[in-house]
Amino acid sequence: MIILKTMKLKKHYENGATIVHALDGVDLEIEKGEFVAVVGSSGSGKSTLLHMLGGLDSPTSGRVMVDGKEISTLKEEELTIFRRRKIGFVFQSFNLVPVLNVYENIILPIQLDGNKPDKKYVNNIIQTLGLKSKLQNLPSQLSGGEQQRVAIARALAIKPAIVLADEPTGNLDSRTSQDVVGLLKVTGERFGQTIVMITHNEELAQLADRIIRIEDGKISGGVAI
Ligand code: ADP
Ligand code: ADP
């Protein structure tokens, strides 16, 4: 089943007098449960693509379908609801709340949505990500790798269908990066999530089921591994 699909997707930015074609006609299909790495040089359009897939920004033209629903035409309020229900975001900067402990950080999005955490599911995530002994710690008391594992747990806590990760290991050393992406993969398999991860690290990209290459806003090749 195709869970993510883009058709003739374009995104242009106006930069003063010049127009930047950040995405220049992207056709993409991603299967439910797939783990896809998006690679390409700086400025090639990777973040823009992720933003379009996650409804963080609207395309200039073309379509984005998520789980059979077209999101490219949704209004801002509808997009917010869509994101909260369907998408878990993981960014390079961990964006944890410094005054909340690890457990509070993980369940924060659930609470902000006015819901109670599914304790069994949340504990399962915590266990899988190896965070059980850190739940009472503040983010400042954790290593970078641990902080990113908390950010992943937080992204997964809302039971998203899709996890979008933008250079999730950009601030981590290479060994920790391998561990974190390995865990991302394991959680995706265990909890049935589709993962799209931007990375400029070819070694990390090899952990994915498929690599999509972007060059100048276009897909230049996809490799099934
Ligand atoms: P990547 O993630 O591959 O580094 P981006 O998607 O961030 O690439 O950027 C693609 C192109 O669009 C670049 O030329 C970048 O400068 C430009 N761009 C991205 N965001 C904006 C913006 N908000 N305003 C203007 N130009 C932008
Ligand atoms: P950086 O590595 O420059 O700190 P990030 O990887 O954290 O950037 O974020 C990449 C992009 O995602 C940026 O354009 C940023 O504005 C956006 N972003 C970061 N965090 C969030 C968030 N929580 N919600 C929406 N957009 C975000």
Short mmCIF file of all heavy atoms in Angstrom, two decimals, residues 117-142:
data_model
loop_
_atom_site.label_atom_id
_atom_site.label_comp_id
_atom_site.label_asym_id
_atom_site.label_seq_id
_atom_site.Cartn_x
_atom_site.Cartn_y
_atom_site.Cartn_z
N PRO A 117 -1.67 9.20 27.91
CA PRO A 117 -0.79 8.26 27.23
C PRO A 117 -1.26 6.81 27.36
O PRO A 117 -1.79 6.44 28.40
CB PRO A 117 0.56 8.46 27.93
CG PRO A 117 0.30 9.24 29.15
CD PRO A 117 -1.02 9.92 29.01
N ASP A 118 -1.08 6.05 26.30
CA ASP A 118 -1.28 4.61 26.33
C ASP A 118 -0.01 4.05 26.99
O ASP A 118 1.03 3.91 26.36
CB ASP A 118 -1.44 4.11 24.88
CG ASP A 118 -1.48 2.60 24.78
OD1 ASP A 118 -1.12 1.91 25.76
OD2 ASP A 118 -1.85 2.11 23.69
N LYS A 119 -0.12 3.76 28.30
CA LYS A 119 1.09 3.46 29.10
C LYS A 119 1.86 2.27 28.55
O LYS A 119 3.09 2.28 28.50
CB LYS A 119 0.69 3.19 30.55
CG LYS A 119 0.30 4.45 31.31
CD LYS A 119 0.81 4.38 32.75
CE LYS A 119 0.61 5.70 33.47
NZ LYS A 119 -0.72 5.80 34.11
N LYS A 120 1.12 1.25 28.12
CA LYS A 120 1.78 0.03 27.64
C LYS A 120 2.61 0.34 26.39
O LYS A 120 3.77 -0.06 26.27
CB LYS A 120 0.70 -1.01 27.31
CG LYS A 120 1.23 -2.41 27.34
CD LYS A 120 0.12 -3.43 27.26
CE LYS A 120 0.70 -4.73 26.73
NZ LYS A 120 -0.30 -5.59 26.12
N TYR A 121 2.01 1.09 25.48
CA TYR A 121 2.70 1.45 24.24
C TYR A 121 3.90 2.36 24.53
O TYR A 121 5.00 2.13 24.03
CB TYR A 121 1.70 2.13 23.30
CG TYR A 121 2.31 2.76 22.08
CD1 TYR A 121 2.73 1.98 21.00
CD2 TYR A 121 2.49 4.14 21.99
CE1 TYR A 121 3.29 2.56 19.87
CE2 TYR A 121 3.06 4.73 20.87
CZ TYR A 121 3.46 3.94 19.82
OH TYR A 121 4.03 4.51 18.71
N VAL A 122 3.68 3.38 25.38
CA VAL A 122 4.76 4.32 25.68
C VAL A 122 5.92 3.58 26.37
O VAL A 122 7.09 3.80 26.06
CB VAL A 122 4.25 5.50 26.54
CG1 VAL A 122 5.41 6.36 27.03
CG2 VAL A 122 3.29 6.37 25.72
N ASN A 123 5.59 2.68 27.30
CA ASN A 123 6.65 1.91 27.98
C ASN A 123 7.41 1.03 27.01
O ASN A 123 8.63 0.86 27.14
CB ASN A 123 6.05 1.05 29.09
CG ASN A 123 5.69 1.89 30.31
OD1 ASN A 123 6.25 2.96 30.50
ND2 ASN A 123 4.75 1.42 31.09
N ASN A 124 6.70 0.50 26.05
CA ASN A 124 7.32 -0.33 25.02
C ASN A 124 8.35 0.48 24.21
O ASN A 124 9.46 0.03 23.94
CB ASN A 124 6.21 -0.88 24.10
CG ASN A 124 6.62 -2.16 23.41
OD1 ASN A 124 7.80 -2.47 23.34
ND2 ASN A 124 5.64 -2.87 22.88
N ILE A 125 7.96 1.70 23.87
CA ILE A 125 8.88 2.60 23.14
C ILE A 125 10.10 2.92 24.00
O ILE A 125 11.25 2.87 23.54
CB ILE A 125 8.16 3.92 22.78
CG1 ILE A 125 7.09 3.66 21.73
CG2 ILE A 125 9.15 4.96 22.28
CD1 ILE A 125 6.21 4.85 21.51
N ILE A 126 9.83 3.26 25.26
CA ILE A 126 10.91 3.63 26.19
C ILE A 126 11.90 2.47 26.33
O ILE A 126 13.12 2.66 26.28
CB ILE A 126 10.29 4.02 27.55
CG1 ILE A 126 9.60 5.39 27.43
CG2 ILE A 126 11.35 4.03 28.65
CD1 ILE A 126 8.70 5.75 28.59
N GLN A 127 11.35 1.26 26.45
CA GLN A 127 12.16 0.06 26.55
C GLN A 127 12.99 -0.14 25.28
O GLN A 127 14.20 -0.36 25.34
CB GLN A 127 11.21 -1.14 26.74
CG GLN A 127 11.88 -2.39 27.24
CD GLN A 127 11.86 -2.44 28.74
OE1 GLN A 127 10.87 -2.05 29.36
NE2 GLN A 127 12.94 -2.89 29.35
N THR A 128 12.34 -0.05 24.15
CA THR A 128 13.00 -0.28 22.86
C THR A 128 14.15 0.71 22.65
O THR A 128 15.20 0.36 22.12
CB THR A 128 11.99 -0.14 21.70
OG1 THR A 128 10.89 -1.01 21.95
CG2 THR A 128 12.61 -0.51 20.37
N LEU A 129 13.95 1.94 23.09
CA LEU A 129 14.96 2.97 22.89
C LEU A 129 15.98 3.03 24.04
O LEU A 129 16.86 3.89 24.05
CB LEU A 129 14.30 4.34 22.69
CG LEU A 129 13.54 4.48 21.36
CD1 LEU A 129 12.64 5.70 21.37
CD2 LEU A 129 14.52 4.57 20.18
N GLY A 130 15.83 2.12 25.01
CA GLY A 130 16.81 2.03 26.09
C GLY A 130 16.83 3.23 27.01
O GLY A 130 17.89 3.68 27.46
N LEU A 131 15.65 3.78 27.30
CA LEU A 131 15.58 5.01 28.09
C LEU A 131 15.03 4.80 29.50
O LEU A 131 14.80 5.77 30.23
CB LEU A 131 14.71 6.05 27.36
CG LEU A 131 15.31 6.61 26.07
CD1 LEU A 131 14.24 7.38 25.28
CD2 LEU A 131 16.49 7.52 26.39
N LYS A 132 14.81 3.54 29.87
CA LYS A 132 14.10 3.26 31.12
C LYS A 132 14.78 3.87 32.34
O LYS A 132 14.11 4.41 33.22
CB LYS A 132 13.97 1.75 31.29
CG LYS A 132 12.71 1.41 32.02
CD LYS A 132 12.36 -0.04 31.98
CE LYS A 132 11.25 -0.27 32.99
NZ LYS A 132 11.25 -1.61 33.51
N SER A 133 16.11 3.83 32.36
CA SER A 133 16.83 4.31 33.55
C SER A 133 17.00 5.83 33.54
O SER A 133 17.56 6.41 34.46
CB SER A 133 18.19 3.64 33.63
OG SER A 133 18.96 4.04 32.51
N LYS A 134 16.52 6.49 32.49
CA LYS A 134 16.75 7.94 32.35
C LYS A 134 15.49 8.78 32.53
O LYS A 134 15.54 10.00 32.37
CB LYS A 134 17.32 8.24 30.94
CG LYS A 134 18.56 7.48 30.59
CD LYS A 134 19.75 8.00 31.35
CE LYS A 134 21.00 7.19 31.05
NZ LYS A 134 22.12 7.59 31.90
N LEU A 135 14.38 8.12 32.84
CA LEU A 135 13.09 8.82 32.79
C LEU A 135 12.99 10.05 33.69
O LEU A 135 12.30 11.01 33.37
CB LEU A 135 11.95 7.84 33.11
CG LEU A 135 11.75 6.73 32.07
CD1 LEU A 135 10.61 5.79 32.49
CD2 LEU A 135 11.47 7.32 30.70
N GLN A 136 13.71 10.01 34.82
CA GLN A 136 13.62 11.14 35.75
C GLN A 136 14.66 12.23 35.45
O GLN A 136 14.67 13.27 36.09
CB GLN A 136 13.83 10.66 37.21
CG GLN A 136 12.88 9.55 37.65
CD GLN A 136 11.42 9.93 37.47
OE1 GLN A 136 11.05 11.08 37.71
NE2 GLN A 136 10.63 8.99 37.01
N ASN A 137 15.55 11.96 34.50
CA ASN A 137 16.61 12.94 34.20
C ASN A 137 16.09 14.12 33.39
O ASN A 137 15.14 14.00 32.62
CB ASN A 137 17.72 12.29 33.39
CG ASN A 137 18.54 11.31 34.20
OD1 ASN A 137 18.00 10.40 34.81
ND2 ASN A 137 19.84 11.51 34.22
N LEU A 138 16.77 15.25 33.56
CA LEU A 138 16.51 16.39 32.69
C LEU A 138 17.35 16.23 31.42
O LEU A 138 18.41 15.59 31.45
CB LEU A 138 16.90 17.69 33.40
CG LEU A 138 16.04 18.09 34.60
CD1 LEU A 138 16.63 19.30 35.30
CD2 LEU A 138 14.60 18.35 34.18
N PRO A 139 16.90 16.81 30.30
CA PRO A 139 17.66 16.70 29.05
C PRO A 139 19.14 17.09 29.21
O PRO A 139 20.01 16.46 28.62
CB PRO A 139 16.95 17.67 28.12
CG PRO A 139 15.54 17.67 28.59
CD PRO A 139 15.63 17.53 30.10
N SER A 140 19.42 18.11 30.03
CA SER A 140 20.80 18.58 30.20
C SER A 140 21.69 17.52 30.85
O SER A 140 22.92 17.62 30.81
CB SER A 140 20.82 19.85 31.04
OG SER A 140 20.24 19.59 32.30
N GLN A 141 21.06 16.51 31.47
CA GLN A 141 21.84 15.45 32.12
C GLN A 141 22.08 14.26 31.18
O GLN A 141 22.56 13.22 31.62
CB GLN A 141 21.10 14.97 33.38
CG GLN A 141 20.94 16.09 34.42
CD GLN A 141 19.96 15.72 35.51
OE1 GLN A 141 18.92 15.12 35.25
NE2 GLN A 141 20.28 16.08 36.74
N LEU A 142 21.72 14.43 29.92
CA LEU A 142 21.86 13.33 28.96
C LEU A 142 22.90 13.63 27.90
O LEU A 142 23.17 14.79 27.60
CB LEU A 142 20.52 13.08 28.25
CG LEU A 142 19.29 12.79 29.09
CD1 LEU A 142 18.07 12.63 28.17
CD2 LEU A 142 19.48 11.54 29.93
#
